[in-house]
Amino acid sequence: MSEADEVDRIVGAWNTQRPDLDFSPLEVLSRMDRLSRQLDRARREVFHRSDIEPWEWDVLSALRRAGAPFTLSPKQLLQQTLVTSGTMTNRIDRLVARRFVRREADPGDGRSILVILTDDGKVRADAAITRLVDAEAEMLHALPRADRDRLAGLLRKLSLSFDA
């Protein structure tokens, strides 16, 4: 190993104190935890620069990813953002107040509504995703593309093991 990071120092100290334990999980997950904190900071900065809150991003990005006409039902938004119905209603209300979305009656079901991304909401979502991709690419600048692809595959495999 050419360079040691803080996790190496922590694991080394534990290995000295408790050589009977396998600390390899800490070598992976402690680094993931540290990187997660860096990612949270970077995302907060991106959203701040885009004048949106993280929860606003969740809804705006779901609508933007839906493609033209950038419309989803509240139920579809619930499925994509994993919040409660009451929370989603509050979020939609607040996004309507900011003119990022609007509500319209569902032409296919008069009892239901659709949430539609406005032009202002689309501009905000597009600006935020551009900043987000740039910030996250900068975070990964030390890894060549092949390493990124390999890491993404390994993390996917780990993630799927929790979904099973």
Side-chain angles (χ1 to χ4, degrees):
M1 172 174 36
S2 61
E3 290 186 66
D5 65 3
E6 184 63 20
V7 173
D8 289 321
R9 288 185 277 283
I10 291 167
V11 169
W14 274 117
N15 272 324
T16 300
Q17 298 301 313
R18 292 293 310 268
D20 58 309
L21 295 177
D22 173 12
F23 290 100
S24 62
L26 269 68
E27 292 181 288
V28 173
L29 298 175
S30 292
R31 286 185 176 96
M32 287 176 64
D33 180 57
R34 288 166 182 267
L35 291 169
S36 175
R37 285 186 252 152
Q38 292 292 330
L39 178 60
D40 286 343
R41 278 195 284 278
R43 286 184 170 185
R44 278 195 308 271
E45 175 61 25
V46 162
F47 298 143
H48 175 76
R49 289 179 49 218
S50 300
D51 192 30
I52 58 173
E53 297 294 327
W55 66 264
E56 290 175 312
W57 168 249
D58 290 344
V59 177
L60 295 176
S61 67
L63 288 163
R64 181 63 175 97
R65 290 189 317 267
F70 311 111
T71 302
L72 294 171
S73 70
K75 182 179 180 181
Q76 290 169 313
L77 285 169
L78 285 171
Q79 292 167 340
Q80 291 195 32
T81 59
L82 304 175
V83 298
T84 66
S85 176
T87 298
M88 182 53 66
T89 298
N90 180 274
R91 289 179 176 188
I92 293 168
D93 289 345
R94 292 170 69 186
L95 288 167
V96 166
R98 290 196 70 187
R99 294 185 169 94
F100 292 158
V101 303
R102 70 179 187 276
R103 289 183 173 100
E104 286 187 9
D106 183 344
D109 179 358
R111 300 167 298 165
S112 300
I113 66 156
L114 296 173
V115 180
I116 302 164
L117 188 66
T118 64
D119 288 341
D120 287 344
K122 183 177 179 286
V123 166
R124 196 64 56 114
D126 285 348
I129 191 61
T130 299
R131 287 181 178 119
L132 184 61
V133 168
D134 289 346
E136 292 185 6
E138 178 60 29
M139 290 182 71
L140 294 173
H141 78 278
L143 294 179
R145 183 58 186 242
D147 288 348
R148 288 186 203 185
D149 292 345
R150 184 166 179 261
L151 180 58
L154 292 169
L155 291 171
R156 180 183 307 105
K157 183 177 182 178
L158 182 60
S159 179
L160 288 170
S161 74
F162 288 96
D163 295 340

